[in-house]
Amino acid sequence: MQGSKNEGLNEIDSRIEGQQEIKEPLVEVVTEQQRIDGILKVVEEEIGSVETTESSLDSLSEYATNIVGLETEESGRLMTDTGVKSALEKNSMNMAELGASTKDEILGAASPLSAGVILDKPGTVSPEEGLPVMEAKEIPMLSPEELKRREDERRSLAKKILDNELTKRGIRYIPFVEPLQDTIKAVSGKGSEGEDLSKFERTIHVIGAGRGAIMDASGISFADKLSDDGLYLLRKIWERSRDANKKTADVNKK
Amino acid sequence: MDIQEFEKNVEKLFSYEKNTEEMNMWKKVFPILPPQYQKELFDLIAKQLKEIENKNI
């Protein structure tokens, strides 16, 4: 496991060091079923066999459909065949544009992006241990509308910061909070409350994480939050999805 | 930009709004921002805090 993990990370290093451009599209066809198949394969290798009852497969399929539906509804979050292909190409190019020569530099550069993950949806990230617990105070004069206006004001600044900072670094900003949380759960095997997750539950989280991995392609936006294990797993998810899609495309051509 | 002053303001503001999660998020983000955005964020939080404190007087 350790050896193969290092190979995965070394590949990331070599791609960064060589500033290798993608000459051919890495993904030719993406369907939700292919994604599920590719991801399940990784899960089976990395986590163990997956419970595949009829109802669990239905749930997986429904989950994947919801993901695809969600992504296609919003511009900039495309998850269509073309969208994935485009995201991969752009992000692969962006890794080179970062100008970093080592993985550590990439990880360092990823901090604002990680911050972006949090900034996108304030209030959806679990509070961290060790930070002060606030004393609840009443807000007698603030209506819900006023609270909303104040939050919008803050989010508007957050968006401006993200747009400017990430664009400057050559990173296309893709907001996601849930895949990050999914990845943490998939890798740790623990839920939000620290409870042990079943294999099926871990699979669900891996699929959610796979969305992030596929869209981000390089996986660097998780760098500030995750251990090498997490990066490795994301990379594998992406690679397997890519391979599964490529194979299917080849078969279709024949 | 004074990080401690910013944190103090953020803690006050979000104690009024009862939003510990957002408070944590801004505290984490502030130190890694470029100076111009630190200033903008500092001013916005200070403005909102003043706003809410004035209403409570």
Side-chain angles (χ1 to χ4, degrees), chain B:
Chain B
M1 199 51 68
D2 187 340
I3 293 181
Q4 283 182 339
E5 179 74 16
F6 174 79
E7 290 193 349
K8 205 175 80 185
N9 288 346
V10 164
E11 283 175 13
K12 270 191 191 172
L13 176 69
F14 289 105
S15 70
Y16 284 122
E17 295 203 8
K18 295 180 187 169
N19 191 341
T20 310
E21 289 175 343
E22 192 176 339
M23 174 196 77
N24 291 341
M25 183 270 294
W26 286 120
K27 281 167 85 172
K28 188 191 275 187
V29 163
F30 186 76
I32 62 170
L33 290 177
Q36 75 269 26
Y37 291 124
Q38 280 189 343
K39 180 170 185 332
E40 227 173 309
L41 180 57
F42 187 97
D43 291 346
L44 176 63
I45 295 294
K47 186 200 91 170
Q48 290 198 343
L49 180 62
K50 198 172 170 189
E51 217 174 68
I52 203 167
E53 287 185 336
N54 285 343
K55 279 178 182 291
N56 280 340
I57 291 171

Side-chain angles (χ1 to χ4, degrees), chain A residues 25 88 102 119 137 140 157 164 166 168 174-175 181 191 194 212 218 225 239 241 253:
Chain A
L88 287 173
T102 67
L119 281 166
K137 293 182 181 174
L157 175 58
N164 291 345
L166 298 178
K168 206 162 64 185
I174 302 170
Q181 294 172 332
S218 65
K225 283 279 179 188
E239 283 174 351
S241 298
K253 275 180 194 168

Side-chain angles (χ1 to χ4, degrees), chain A:
Chain A
M1 178 68 188
Q2 187 63 41
S4 60
K5 181 195 297 181
N6 288 338
E7 280 170 25
L9 290 172
N10 288 340
E11 186 191 327
I12 297 174
D13 278 343
S14 66
R15 287 179 62 135
I16 294 165
E17 282 163 9
Q19 299 202 349
Q20 186 181 340
E21 291 184 7
I22 305 299
K23 292 188 173 58
E24 293 177 9
L26 290 174
V27 172
E28 296 181 23
V29 177
V30 174
T31 69
E32 60 185 79
Q33 188 56 51
Q34 289 157 10
R35 289 188 59 222
I36 291 174
D37 291 345
I39 289 164
L40 281 178
K41 198 173 167 192
V42 182
V43 174
E44 284 176 355
E45 287 183 13
E46 302 301 320
I47 297 174
S49 63
V50 179
E51 181 192 348
T52 51
T53 62
E54 195 172 326
S55 65
S56 68
L57 284 176
D58 281 350
S59 300
L60 284 175
S61 176
E62 188 185 335
Y63 191 86
T65 305
N66 288 339
I67 288 173
V68 174
L70 178 72
E71 302 297 348
T72 50
E73 278 173 11
E74 298 175 44
S75 61
R77 302 183 70 185
L78 296 176
M79 206 58 186
T80 58
D81 296 354
T82 317
V84 172
K85 182 173 150 184
S86 165
L88 287 173
E89 287 172 343
K90 283 182 183 170
N91 280 288
S92 300
M93 294 291 285
N94 286 339
M95 286 183 72
E97 285 168 16
L98 283 171
S101 58
T102 67
K103 180 164 69 70
D104 287 342
E105 284 181 38
I106 286 283
L107 299 188
S111 295
L113 187 56
S114 302
V117 169
I118 301 167
L119 281 166
D120 180 48
K121 290 182 183 175
T124 58
V125 176
S126 302
E128 294 191 8
E129 288 178 12
L131 288 166
V133 177
M134 299 304 295
E135 183 189 338
K137 293 182 181 174
E138 294 302 320
I139 322 167
M141 303 301 285
L142 285 183
S143 66
E145 290 75 25
E146 279 178 297
L147 276 172
K148 170 89 171 50
R149 178 189 60 76
R150 293 160 63 83
E151 190 185 331
D152 285 348
E153 236 176 17
R154 295 191 297 265
R155 290 183 77 146
S156 162
L157 175 58
K159 187 173 183 316
K160 187 172 110 184
I161 292 169
L162 285 168
D163 287 348
N164 291 345
E165 283 307 291
L166 298 178
T167 306
K168 206 162 64 185
R169 285 172 168 76
I171 299 170
R172 196 176 69 119
Y173 172 53
I174 302 170
F176 46 81
V177 170
E178 288 164 14
L180 177 69
Q181 294 172 332
D182 279 332
T183 307
I184 292 168
K185 289 172 185 169
V187 172
S188 68
K190 304 276 184 192
S192 309
E193 307 294 320
E195 75 278 17
D196 287 332
L197 299 174
S198 69
K199 282 176 184 170
F200 176 69
E201 287 168 327
R202 288 186 79 176
T203 306
I204 290 287
H205 292 304
V206 169
I207 288 181
R211 169 171 58 149
I214 289 168
M215 291 186 70
D216 183 55
S218 65
I220 59 169
S221 54
F222 294 90
D224 199 36
K225 283 279 179 188
L226 292 177
S227 64
D228 281 354
D229 283 336
L231 280 176
Y232 172 74
L233 183 58
L234 283 171
R235 182 75 187 175
K236 296 273 277 189
I237 291 166
W238 173 66
E239 283 174 351
R240 296 306 169 82
S241 298
R242 176 198 64 189
D243 293 347
N245 296 331
K246 181 83 171 61
K247 276 180 192 167
T248 311
D250 289 343
V251 169
N252 287 344
K253 275 180 194 168
K254 286 173 190 170

